Amino acid sequence: MQCDYYDAGVCRSCTLMGRPYPLQLSGRVQHVRDLLAAAGDVTWLPPVESPEADYRNKAKMVVGGTAEEPTIGLLDRTGRAVDIRGCGVCTPGVRAVLPVLAEFIGTAGLTPYDVAARRGELKYLLVTDSPDGRVMVRFVLRSQEALPRLRKHLPALLRRLPQLEVVSANLLPEHKAVVEGDREVVLTEASTLPMRVGDHVLHLRPQSFFQTNTTVAAALYRQARAWTQELGPASVWDLYCGVGGFALHCAGEDRDVVGVETSPEAVASARLSAREAGLARVRFEVGDAGSFARAAPDVPELVVVNPPRRGLGAQLGRWLEASRVRHVLYSSCNATTLASDLAAMPSLRPRVARVLDMFPQTAHQEVAVLLERD
């Protein structure tokens, strides 16, 4: 893939840009295999490839410049705002709305936040594109000051962009290196973006996590479902379940599935998807994965874990190692912490694994591993 921003030195976020895709993929696969070599003999399935471009369904864009001439993109190493609204790894649906949003910033008088001066209102634009062409836009603001103007001009924006399903304002008053705050104000009638992935429609609320690459996410869920069908467990836990992708795809007529997630917004979305799919034996709970596992009176036949980059954590890892759980399906976005977690659970041996290329043009990797107790 060729990128003008990368070639000009404007953006170097995609660290492997310009390297032939087959070499990128083989390098990621070898890196993961090297990290997991100490875990023993593993059957490696062929890696899941991704489109090289147009794959990111979510853009987290820094807003700089002025309301009349905003930049939508990132801050460079000097703190200067850089416009990359034509970023080629974002989906066409994301790219299509950014020029209109740039005009809207001026119309609504949304002054971009000046990091150095610590003044201004609009910090970020967070844009998510669904497989059906519907879009969610979140304006990350420093305060409520701009909310009346957002509401006033929103009808005109919706006329310009009829594909907008959800529009919200996220309030981030603190001056710190985070992308969003705790409070969300939904400005449209709809509050969830339907994301059709595999056999299910997953409902994404503004503060819910979702996989960045929809095509590869569908392949990940298909792989999880195939392994689950092969094992045929009567009971499954999906820990760190997010909006329920693994739980819903691993469901079966004779199978009890429980999803656990700390985010109430994500759990509300997962419950809606389960109701729409008519999955009466799938339920979701708000809670900490480790606390849920330690307090449960019994253990399931299969545990699915999809932790954040930091991995499982010591408590859940110790619980899994000491438990009677026969199989664990571990989906990891960080093979380094995956290797550490496997080392802490020697009774659960990797049986089969697969690299899924969720992030082309970067060194990041996604790997799914099926573990079986010795």
Side-chain angles (χ1 to χ4, degrees):
M1 175 184 171
Q2 185 273 335
C3 173
D4 291 339
Y5 299 123
Y6 186 88
D7 292 344
V10 170
C11 174
R12 292 301 174 95
S13 299
C14 294
T15 56
L16 300 183
M17 185 65 69
R19 183 176 300 182
Y21 181 71
L23 292 181
Q24 290 187 32
L25 183 58
S26 62
R28 274 189 284 278
V29 170
Q30 190 59 54
H31 176 68
V32 173
R33 294 186 66 160
D34 289 344
L35 285 172
L36 302 189
D41 293 332
V42 181
T43 298
W44 287 92
L45 300 179
V48 173
E49 298 185 10
S50 168
E52 294 184 50
D54 301 337
Y55 71 84
R56 282 193 68 95
N57 58 37
K58 183 175 184 179
K60 300 178 181 180
M61 295 294 196
V62 177
V63 182
T66 65
E68 294 74 22
E69 295 185 4
T71 62
I72 298 177
L74 48 79
L75 298 179
D76 66 14
R77 294 178 179 177
T78 68
R80 181 176 62 93
V82 175
D83 195 299
I84 58 166
R85 69 183 74 174
C87 175
V89 298
C90 293
T91 65
V94 168
R95 294 198 299 270
V97 304
L98 294 179
V100 179
L101 292 176
E103 293 179 21
F104 179 78
I105 290 169
T107 301
L110 303 176
T111 305
Y113 184 67
D114 186 320
V115 175
R118 300 194 179 193
R119 63 171 178 261
E121 281 297 317
L122 180 58
K123 296 185 173 184
Y124 299 95
L125 286 174
L126 309 181
V127 181
T128 304
D129 178 37
S130 81
D132 297 318
R134 310 302 294 172
V135 176
M136 176 192 297
V137 173
R138 303 168 64 203
F139 295 87
V140 181
L141 305 171
R142 188 177 69 164
S143 72
Q144 301 183 71
E145 186 271 333
L147 281 178
R149 298 196 301 280
L150 264 179
R151 289 191 171 100
K152 175 183 176 181
H153 295 284
L154 182 59
L157 179 64
L158 296 176
R159 287 194 294 271
R160 287 283 308 277
L161 296 173
Q163 66 267 47
L164 292 188
E165 186 82 7
V166 181
V167 178
S168 70
N170 178 272
L171 301 183
L172 177 59
E174 299 87 359
H175 179 85
K176 57 183 181 181
V178 296
V179 178
E180 60 186 84
D182 295 330
R183 185 182 171 196
E184 198 86 22
V185 181
V186 178
L187 303 173
T188 48
E189 182 177 350
S191 60
T192 68
L193 180 68
M195 300 288 287
R196 180 175 45 80
V197 183
D199 295 335
H200 294 281
V201 173
L202 307 178
H203 289 274
L204 183 62
R205 294 173 188 263
Q207 292 182 299
S208 300
F209 167 79
F210 191 78
Q211 298 284 3
T212 301
N213 188 322
T214 308
T215 300
V216 178
L220 176 62
Y221 295 143
R222 285 196 300 270
Q223 183 62 74
R225 181 178 59 189
W227 283 340
T228 302
Q229 290 176 340
E230 175 189 331
L231 297 172
S235 54
V236 177
W237 288 354
D238 178 8
L239 306 182
Y240 306 99
C241 70
V243 295
F246 284 105
L248 296 169
H249 283 85
C250 293
E253 293 182 0
D254 301 320
R255 183 173 300 136
D256 293 315
V257 180
V258 181
V260 181
E261 170 60 49
T262 57
S263 167
E265 290 287 306
V267 169
S269 298
R271 287 171 175 167
L272 175 58
S273 296
R275 287 197 301 272
E276 289 184 347
L279 299 173
R281 298 185 67 168
V282 178
R283 63 184 177 88
F284 295 93
E285 296 187 11
V286 177
D288 172 75
S291 299
F292 172 85
R294 293 192 304 274
D298 205 351
V299 298
E301 296 179 11
L302 170 66
V303 172
V304 179
V305 290
N306 183 30
R309 290 188 59 80
R310 64 179 180 271
L312 292 176
Q315 288 186 334
L316 183 56
R318 284 196 298 267
W319 182 87
L320 283 168
E321 171 64 15
S323 73
R324 302 186 310 278
V325 174
R326 182 66 179 164
H327 292 97
V328 175
L329 196 167
Y330 193 137
S331 176
S332 170
C333 62
N334 186 342
T336 300
T337 55
L338 169 62
S340 298
D341 285 339
L342 294 181
M345 300 186 297
S347 297
L348 289 161
R349 307 297 295 178
R351 188 180 109 192
V352 59
R354 190 170 204 179
V355 172
L356 301 102
D357 196 17
M358 197 76 75
F359 310 101
Q361 316 305 333
T362 78
H364 297 295
Q365 65 279 315
E366 186 87 17
V367 57
V369 184
L370 181 62
L371 312 176
E372 186 173 63
R373 189 170 297 279
D374 282 344

